[in-house]
Amino acid sequence: MTTYSRRALVLALSAAGVATTLTAVVTPEVRAQASTAVPALNWRPCAEQAQSVEPAAVAQECAELPVPLDYRDPHGPQLTLAVSRLRSERPEARRGTLLFIPGGPGGSGVRQLGQKGDALRREMAGAYDIVSFDPRGVGGSTTASCGLDAADRDLVNLRPWPGPGGDITESVTRSRRIADACARNGGPVLRSLTTANEARDIDRFRRALGEEKLSAWGVSYGTYVGAVYAQKYPRHTDRWVLDSSGDPDPARVARGWAANMAVGADDRFPDFAAWAADPARDEEEPGLRLAERTEDVRPLFLALATKLDREPKESTTPGTPLTGNRLRQALQNALYSDASFPQLARIIRAAMDPAGKPVLPADLAQPLRDEDAAVTAAVICNDVRWPGSVPAYERAVAADRVQHPLTAGMPANAFACSFWKDAPAEKPTRITAEGPSNILMIQNLRDPSTPYSGALKMREALGDRARLVTVDHGGHSVYLGNGNACGDRTVTEFLTSGRRPARDMYCAD
């Protein structure tokens, strides 16, 4: 390895994308990063590779980026990231590169760039090459496996829904089994799936692109990744958008996000109730209207879920009945978007009909792929240690069921993380107000997954680095997602012109 003088080392670190000063403490990891070259990307049409992209994105290019399994050993074993781009169609207008950071954990940026790319290109009007990636563990990148049985990859089991009456015995047993399987089969790749490594991978991507700075649009979990990157590499952030943020509390991280889902469901359910009681539903399709009054929809749903706990109903998927927990999970999924309300109403109506047979959506009718289940579990478990006391979870679930009956205690229950075998390799990053004031947050007021109360914690942590756009709308994800012209216009203007609201602002629905 090259030997550096102190000043030469600082210059090398700066060139490698590491913010530091002459008085900074240089860790072995940072020293190794500075001395590691990043190979050029070999771009070619995505159709020539195995990545799954949307056919409409005909201009989408793909490449592979090698990244260290362990950044403390940059010359050791390497993983491969699938990366993708849409080049600016107006080179004379191009000002840089815009990174889309997918949500999840487990979201594919390559796939989502295919889905969102055309709309984003129209908004950006050639200002950026638009790029994304499949994080390690996802899609076309190097993946890991826990070797889970199909039943343990079922979403209503991977998420620890309590049994009837709130009993958590079965969910604790299953969470232990998942944690044991991941420890036995996951290996070093699974242990490398962390938010901190995703931030490091993004910076390696930046260097491979030859960019001094990146602009970014992070969604859902991608907002946390984006915030961590902005904390670790502030000098390499340009215009930074965080869309649908959670509470970045470093003591809890994903455990806090899970707990907050109960609040999010309560915030969002009134939108569905108003929709389901609207007389217009009768005109659209017989049976979509579930009640004559908005206030009757919630007790109707809770009573039906309780009944299905006792008497599951046969669905159109052989061997997969509609249980109370599967109905509750269907609700969680549907609350993400108004477009899913009709499907949920049909499930409820069929469950209420003695002769009905509910049609389950695909994500509830079949288990996750093993690789998808592995990354979903591993990132949140590798980031921070979760408590392991079963009696404490029993008490928390009992209290949460009373306070938030729509989610029946699941958000407070023992996930696989509660019994994870490997301690976190490093402490979670604390998000602070230190850094450039170049972040724009945008948030739905009634978000079922990352509720507004959690986003306010992110806003508080970022201080004057950020401005918050609050959108009076329900659902998860905002920009180019819910049709709010005020919110879309504000984000587009910031990314294309750099103009950001002078203070936090509100957009009416």
Side-chain angles (χ1 to χ4, degrees):
M1 183 180 295
T2 304
T3 301
Y4 289 88
S5 70
R6 194 154 185 258
R7 178 173 290 275
L9 177 60
V10 172
L11 294 175
L13 296 174
S14 179
V18 180
T20 186
T21 69
L22 286 173
T23 59
V25 175
V26 180
T27 66
E29 177 192 345
V30 169
R31 191 187 303 272
Q33 282 183 258
S35 65
T36 306
V38 179
L41 295 167
N42 179 23
W43 294 107
R44 52 196 184 276
C46 291
E48 297 179 6
Q49 297 187 210
Q51 275 84 337
S52 176
V53 299
E54 296 297 304
V58 293
Q60 193 172 352
E61 298 176 296
C62 286
E64 294 182 340
L65 173 68
V67 298
L69 172 66
D70 185 342
Y71 276 89
R72 294 168 298 185
D73 182 17
H75 302 290
Q78 302 287 299
L79 308 181
T80 299
L81 296 191
V83 299
S84 187
R85 76 174 176 185
L86 288 168
R87 284 194 283 187
S88 167
E89 65 274 41
R90 295 176 59 217
E92 73 282 1
R94 182 185 180 278
R95 65 170 306 274
T97 295
L98 173 65
L99 172 71
F100 173 73
I101 309 176
S108 165
V110 173
R111 175 181 289 275
Q112 291 179 45
L113 184 59
Q115 296 168 341
K116 302 172 183 290
D118 286 344
L120 193 53
R121 282 178 113 186
R122 287 193 296 271
E123 293 294 313
M124 296 302 102
Y128 296 97
D129 290 343
I130 304 170
V131 302
S132 194
F133 64 108
D134 285 354
R136 56 176 71 194
V138 176
S141 297
T142 302
T143 58
S145 170
C146 287
L148 300 179
D149 292 339
D152 289 344
R153 290 184 273 114
D154 190 326
L155 187 57
V156 296
N157 294 327
L158 198 60
R159 289 188 177 177
W161 289 96
D167 179 51
I168 70 170
T169 303
E170 184 176 347
S171 57
V172 165
T173 298
R174 191 180 300 274
S175 290
R176 288 188 190 277
R177 184 165 63 241
I178 292 171
D180 288 346
C182 289
R184 186 169 59 251
N185 302 318
V189 174
L190 188 82
R191 290 192 290 274
S192 81
L193 304 181
T194 67
T195 300
N197 277 338
E198 185 167 337
R200 295 180 181 109
D201 291 346
I202 288 173
D203 202 61
R204 189 171 174 88
F205 190 18
R206 176 193 64 78
R207 294 172 60 199
L209 291 165
E211 296 285 7
E212 177 64 21
K213 291 186 176 185
L214 290 174
S215 293
W217 169 31
V219 177
S220 190
Y221 166 69
T223 64
Y224 180 63
V225 176
V228 169
Y229 182 90
Q231 195 70 40
K232 285 180 171 290
Y233 305 96
R235 293 176 56 250
H236 299 290
T237 60
D238 188 6
R239 297 169 185 173
W240 220 246
V241 176
L242 305 182
D243 180 342
S244 306
S245 300
D247 182 352
D249 179 1
R252 289 165 60 84
V253 195
R255 187 162 65 91
W257 304 339
N260 286 345
M261 289 173 63
V263 176
D266 287 343
D267 289 347
R268 173 65 161 149
F269 190 85
D271 290 340
F272 172 70
W275 178 93
D278 190 331
R281 302 288 85 79
D282 284 334
E283 300 174 10
E284 294 173 11
E285 179 183 323
L288 281 187
R289 190 182 184 197
L290 300 178
E292 293 188 0
R293 301 184 307 167
T294 298
E295 58 266 32
D296 292 335
V297 177
R298 181 182 172 100
L300 179 154
F301 177 87
L302 293 174
L304 178 61
T306 300
K307 180 180 179 182
L308 291 169
D309 283 338
R310 300 189 303 268
E311 304 171 14
K313 188 168 182 68
E314 183 182 1
S315 77
T316 58
T317 303
T320 307
L322 179 66
T323 62
N325 284 338
R326 208 169 291 275
L327 179 66
R328 295 180 184 102
Q329 186 61 59
L331 171 67
Q332 288 291 298
N333 296 355
L335 294 180
Y336 273 51
S337 170
D338 291 7
S340 299
F341 286 178
Q343 183 180 51
L344 175 62
R346 294 185 193 106
I347 291 172
I348 292 172
R349 180 60 68 187
M352 295 169 61
D353 181 355
K357 187 177 285 190
V359 178
L360 301 180
D363 52 3
L364 289 178
Q366 56 193 27
L368 278 68
R369 295 171 60 248
D370 191 53
E371 296 82 359
D372 295 338
V375 69
T376 298
V379 174
I380 65 174
C381 299
N382 288 333
D383 271 2
V384 69
R385 174 67 80 183
W386 292 43
S389 168
V390 172
Y393 284 114
E394 289 174 336
R395 293 190 295 271
V397 166
D400 208 55
R401 286 172 61 85
V402 172
Q403 192 170 1
H404 307 287
L406 288 172
T407 46
M410 181 275 289
N413 203 358
F415 285 64
C417 305
S418 308
F419 311 109
W420 208 245
K421 304 302 181 185
D422 297 298
E426 56 193 306
K427 292 181 179 179
T429 300
R430 180 177 293 278
I431 306 304
T432 74
E434 298 175 7
S437 184
N438 61 355
I439 299 173
L440 180 67
M441 296 176 58
I442 186 165
Q443 190 82 19
N444 282 326
L445 198 56
R446 299 178 302 283
D447 187 317
S449 181
T450 53
Y452 191 70
S453 54
L456 291 179
K457 296 292 187 181
M458 177 73 86
R459 175 69 185 87
E460 180 182 7
L462 289 169
D464 195 50
R465 296 178 70 186
R467 301 291 183 270
L468 172 63
V469 180
T470 298
V471 179
D472 187 1
H473 200 280
H476 187 55
S477 83
V478 188
Y479 183 53
L480 304 182
N482 63 17
N484 184 274
C486 169
D488 287 352
R489 182 173 58 250
T490 304
V491 172
T492 295
E493 183 176 19
F494 172 59
L495 288 174
T496 56
S497 73
R499 290 189 294 273
R500 190 183 65 167
R503 57 187 62 85
D504 293 354
M505 63 175 285
Y506 172 84
C507 287
D509 194 3

